[in-house]
Amino acid sequence: MRIGYFLSCEEYTPAQLVEQAVAAERAGFEALWISDHFHPWNDEQGQSPFVWSVIGAISQATSLPVTTAVTCPTVRVHPAVIAQAAATASVMLDGRFVLGVGTGEALNEHVLGDAWPSYDVRMEMLEEAVALIRRLWEGDFVTSRGRHYEVSNARIYTRPESPPPIYVSGFGPKAVDDLTRFADGFMSTNPDAEMVSRFKDATGGKPAQAGCKVAWADTREEGVDIAYRLWPNAALPGELSQVLPSVRHFEQASTLVTRDAIAESSVAGPDLDEHLAQLHEYRDAGFDEVYVANMGPHYREMIEAYGRDLLPTLRSDR
């Protein structure tokens, strides 16, 4: 299983994200995930830089592969624009780029005043968007009018030698079944072996990536405090993360999340056995790659500890 580092645009400045990418490569992480948001989940997180600018900077600072986790190419940004952005990112990364996409969240996608569709419509839009992106990557002029998207005499001139793979995020059996029709790979944040197996069985074993979080600190108590302050939204149930439209709504809903709930669900503090156990959980679920994000200010210590003590252990397990 390949171990990568997950860059959280919701929490860190562009300079910090590039710093983390460089440190992750130095420590021995093998690839990068990077989130694509217009808003953070709450004001305490406090950041949300434009992901394509950050990817450009990372491409000049490291040699690691990069996957967006995830881009929504359907409402806030037209798929033709994403096709151009992703093609440029792949060129700058010498082909080491995966476009990770998903049906998105109202939090980020409603900002231009568009209505937020139901899941079935969003998945239909996503499938059409992915097909259009792939067609544009072929390099010809494209004029097309689909159910949701129209382009006229559109051509992507700056393209990599080979088109990037497109991985798709999904949660639950219906979403996984839907994305098997058009995904080059599967993305999730849950160590759900059933969903991984469901995807791989339907696609002949296509790859699966996962992301998870830790809160590095000198003590577990401090780590839990950090996770509770910055990421209480991670414990919100069901479809709330897809349908709540604003940072304020997430902050209101997160008041229902207790510190004990965060303590129970978070890997926090410096105990490497706990960190290793989380990674093994994703490995045992069948993921081919897992990307670890740090919550809070101690990302340097987390990256250094993983590089010194944890990544060598995982490599020896292969």
Side-chain angles (χ1 to χ4, degrees):
M1 181 176 70
R2 184 161 78 166
I3 307 298
Y5 188 81
F6 186 177
L7 300 163
S8 294
C9 284
E10 305 94 313
E11 191 181 341
Y12 300 107
T13 68
Q16 288 174 321
L17 293 167
V18 175
E19 177 194 354
Q20 289 175 30
V22 171
E25 182 172 34
R26 187 183 304 120
F29 287 92
E30 298 170 273
L32 300 168
W33 259 20
I34 185 166
S35 56
D36 181 357
H37 272 240
F38 190 88
H39 292 137
W41 299 99
N42 54 57
D43 279 347
E44 190 68 29
Q45 291 171 0
Q47 294 291 329
S48 201
F50 188 57
V51 70
W52 303 104
S53 300
V54 180
I55 289 173
I58 288 170
S59 75
Q60 303 306 293
T62 83
S63 61
L64 293 179
V66 176
T67 300
T68 53
V70 295
T71 293
C72 180
T74 61
V75 178
R76 171 172 48 101
V77 186
H78 193 282
V81 177
I82 296 300
Q84 183 187 28
T88 300
S90 189
V91 169
M92 295 186 76
L93 288 158
D94 293 326
R96 302 182 307 274
F97 178 73
V98 174
L99 177 60
V101 300
T103 58
E105 304 94 11
L107 173 71
N108 299 303
E109 306 308 320
H110 83 289
V111 295
L112 302 181
D114 300 272
W116 186 236
S118 67
Y119 164 78
D120 287 336
V121 174
R122 298 201 316 270
M123 181 57 77
E124 180 182 86
M125 294 171 72
L126 181 62
E127 188 169 2
E128 182 180 326
V130 167
L132 178 57
I133 289 168
R134 286 180 171 141
R135 187 175 172 190
L136 286 163
W137 284 344
E138 293 173 1
D140 295 328
F141 286 98
V142 176
T143 296
S144 173
R145 176 175 293 178
R147 182 168 184 178
H148 300 286
Y149 304 108
E150 180 177 354
V151 294
S152 178
N153 300 314
R155 182 180 181 186
I156 306 297
Y157 278 85
T158 300
R159 305 186 318 277
E161 291 185 7
S162 299
I166 299 179
Y167 289 16
V168 184
S169 172
F171 299 90
K174 177 172 173 50
V176 171
D177 290 346
D178 287 340
L179 66 87
T180 59
R181 295 192 300 266
F182 62 98
D184 295 319
F186 171 55
M187 304 174 73
S188 181
T189 56
N190 295 330
D192 191 328
E194 181 182 350
M195 294 303 103
V196 176
S197 177
R198 193 180 189 101
F199 174 79
K200 287 181 173 284
D201 289 347
T203 61
K206 288 182 178 180
Q209 297 180 342
C212 62
K213 289 183 172 61
V214 303
W216 190 269
D218 289 338
T219 67
R220 176 167 172 77
E221 288 301 304
E222 182 191 357
V224 171
D225 287 342
I226 290 169
Y228 184 53
R229 175 172 60 85
L230 289 169
W231 288 88
N233 58 283
L236 293 176
E239 298 180 41
L240 286 177
S241 63
Q242 280 77 53
V243 301
L244 293 180
S246 78
V247 169
R248 297 288 178 264
H249 291 113
F250 274 94
E251 291 174 341
Q252 292 164 11
S254 294
T255 62
L256 302 175
V257 176
T258 65
R259 186 183 183 281
D260 287 344
I262 293 297
E264 184 176 346
S265 62
S266 296
V267 173
D271 186 346
L272 284 173
D273 287 339
E274 188 176 351
H275 291 254
L276 188 62
Q278 176 171 248
L279 293 173
H280 283 165
E281 190 175 6
Y282 284 89
R283 179 199 64 187
D284 294 345
F287 285 99
D288 304 287
E289 305 173 31
V290 63
Y291 294 78
V292 188
N294 184 72
M295 299 178 277
H298 304 303
Y299 56 83
R300 296 181 188 89
E301 296 91 329
M302 176 268 185
I303 291 170
E304 290 172 2
Y306 269 58
R308 182 181 62 247
D309 299 320
L310 195 146
L311 297 180
T313 298
L314 289 165
R315 283 193 287 268
S316 68
D317 288 344
R318 291 177 179 173

